[in-house]
Every structure is written in structure tokens, then in C-alpha cells.
Amino acid sequence: MGYSIDKAKGIGYNITSATFKVSGYYWDIKFYPNGDTTEAECFVSLYLHLLSKVTNVKAQFNLTILDKHGRHPLRSRPSKLRSFDGKGNSSWGFSRFIKKTNLESYLKDDDCFVIKCTITIHKSGHAVDVNAKFVTFEVNGQTFKAHRSILAARSPVFNTQFYGSLREVSDTIKIEGIEEPVFAAILEFVYSDLCPEMCKFMPEHLLVVADRYGLEILKLICEKKLGQNININMVSYFTLGEYHNCTQLKDASSNL
């Protein structure tokens, strides 16, 4: 059964994953294709649910929707530290995880996707998930600190860099060829999934770096912004679209 069938079943309908075990506790994931409430009917909702009948399990988690092969992330949301008690507060997540229109535009003719969940359990004030390690980026003398696991969940390039066979083991990575404001905007998008302010003023710079790190949704946002000014820089935008495989930008440029 595909997403297109499930989304026709109304608000509050949910699909529950198979049960899985993390740090001795049993969990599942609940996916609401039409939102869990009327206020979220334009979104899909996604929740992590504790099944074990225990109290005060403190955890942080990251929920990610990827393509059906589990390689390319579409949307990733990290949680705050939450307390699960197996009773009234047994579920935490995101009522407005992603707009349905955004999910459907990404899926196109493909009707399936993968949901990934990374859980960090906190015991005695200490996190026990090794994937929660930080990495520091040096960009033209300025430093940026970020979570390896969140970067890897959002970007296939970071995923390969941190967890591939030739993984980067250093805690400090020097970035070449990117200006500090652009890299800061990339991190802003990775953590919030919101369009960075820079996209309004320098979308071409942001598009290049989004392509470098495999951030397909940000690429589409930049393409749309550039398309609004297509009459001004038709030739340069066509070249940009050709080099970075931006179909919409190339089509808009060539149709003038």
C-alpha cells in the first residue's frame, strides 16, 4: 500500500511501525498522512511512541523521511530533551512535520519512502548514543559546531563523510570554497528546514552549496527564487541550472 492510498483516509488516521528496541525500551513510530488534528490537516504528523510501561525515560530523537532506498533525506527534525513515562506522555513528535505538498512534490511518481529514527537515551544526566557527537567546521577562520547525526540524516554527503567506509574521524573539518554566511545558512536549513534569509538575496550562492551537500529541497527553493528574476540573468541562470542539474531553472531559462 502506497502513500497516495493512505492519504485518502482522513485526519487522525495513522500507520504504526513495527516495534523496535533501543536501550532496553520498546518503541514504535506513528505516521499520520493527513495530520493528527484539524489544525495540521495540511501536514503529515510523525511521533515516537514508548511502549514499555516505565516512568521518566529521558530521550532526544531525530525523525527523518528519506527516499524509498533510504539514501536521500527529504525532511529531518531533531527533538528537544523529552520525558517519556509510558502513560500520558508516552508519545512525542511533530504535528506539523512536513507540508503534504512538499512531500508529494519530492515523491513525484514514487509512492514510497523510508522513515528513520535515531534515539539518544539520557541516563544520570549523560547521553549514551555515540551518534550524538559534535563536529566543528572551520570556514575562513570562523568556527561552526553541529551534530554529526543530524547532518548525516539531512545530507547524503555528510552521511558518507561521517559514517561511510572512508569516514572523517577528525572532530574539526576545514571547509574550502564556501563563504561563512553561506555555510551558516546551510546549517540553519539543516536544523530548522526553514528557508534561510540569504535565499532572498543570494540564492545562486546557496544553490551551489545545497547541490554540493545534496540538499535537494533547498535546491528547489533556490531554483524557485532564481526563476523570479529569470529575465535579468537568463544566460547565466541557464548555465547554473545546467551545471548543477536544476531542471526547473534550465527550463525556465530556455523558454524565454
Side-chain angles (χ1 to χ4, degrees):
M1 183 179 293
Y3 166 74
S4 60
I5 297 176
D6 291 324
K7 74 174 185 177
K9 296 189 177 180
I11 298 169
Y13 169 78
N14 71 82
I15 303 165
T16 302
S17 73
T19 300
F20 55 94
K21 188 177 182 180
V22 175
S23 294
Y25 305 112
Y26 290 94
W27 313 78
D28 63 27
I29 296 169
K30 296 188 182 299
F31 173 77
Y32 297 77
N34 290 295
D36 59 330
T37 65
T38 54
E39 290 78 12
E41 63 180 332
C42 294
F43 296 79
V44 300
S45 305
L46 200 55
Y47 289 88
L48 175 65
H49 179 221
L50 175 65
L51 297 171
S52 299
K53 301 302 179 183
V54 293
T55 59
N56 200 28
V57 177
K58 295 188 180 298
Q60 288 174 281
F61 56 91
N62 192 81
L63 290 166
T64 305
I65 292 180
L66 306 100
D67 70 288
K68 68 177 182 179
H69 303 293
R71 291 194 291 263
H72 302 296
L74 165 61
R75 180 75 161 100
S76 186
R77 296 283 299 272
S79 77
K80 298 178 181 179
L81 180 62
R82 299 297 189 184
S83 180
F84 294 81
D85 63 12
K87 297 178 182 177
N89 292 323
S90 60
S91 292
W92 290 99
F94 307 95
S95 182
R96 299 184 176 190
F97 186 82
I98 185 174
K99 283 188 175 181
K100 291 193 292 186
T101 52
N102 289 349
L103 177 61
E104 290 160 15
S105 66
Y106 180 79
L107 293 176
K108 296 179 181 177
D109 297 328
D110 204 346
D111 208 26
C112 300
F113 51 86
V114 172
I115 296 175
K116 176 182 177 181
C117 180
T118 301
I119 304 174
T120 303
I121 305 296
H122 289 249
K123 296 181 179 179
S124 302
H126 298 285
V128 297
D129 187 351
V130 296
N131 287 334
K133 288 182 62 178
F134 283 97
V135 61
T136 300
F137 296 98
E138 290 185 357
V139 186
N140 295 329
Q142 187 172 343
T143 59
F144 300 88
K145 199 171 185 180
H147 297 82
R148 287 176 181 261
S149 58
I150 293 175
L151 294 173
R154 294 285 276 147
S155 161
V157 176
F158 280 129
N159 185 56
T160 300
Q161 185 174 10
F162 297 143
Y163 303 114
S165 58
L166 299 176
R167 66 179 63 90
E168 175 64 61
V169 296
S170 174
D171 290 332
T172 302
I173 298 174
K174 189 172 184 179
I175 301 296
E176 303 285 355
I178 302 177
E179 296 298 321
E180 311 95 282
V182 179
F183 194 77
I186 289 293
L187 292 182
E188 178 187 347
F189 177 78
V190 164
Y191 273 85
S192 70
D193 208 36
L194 299 176
C195 179
E197 188 73 14
M198 174 172 285
C199 191
K200 299 178 182 179
F201 309 106
M202 301 173 67
E204 64 275 17
H205 296 281
L206 206 54
L207 184 147
V208 171
V209 182
D211 184 50
R212 173 170 168 174
Y213 289 109
L215 300 170
E216 296 300 324
I217 295 300
L218 184 56
K219 273 181 62 178
L220 289 173
I221 293 172
C222 294
E223 278 190 75
K224 183 177 180 180
K225 183 64 179 178
L226 288 167
Q228 296 171 0
N229 301 315
I230 205 72
N231 290 321
I232 302 173
N233 296 295
M234 181 180 69
V235 176
S236 62
Y237 285 175
F238 180 85
T239 304
L240 186 68
E242 180 75 22
Y243 188 80
H244 294 284
N245 194 29
C246 300
T247 305
Q248 294 181 28
L249 189 58
K250 288 193 297 181
D251 290 346
S253 301
S254 59
N255 288 335
L256 292 178

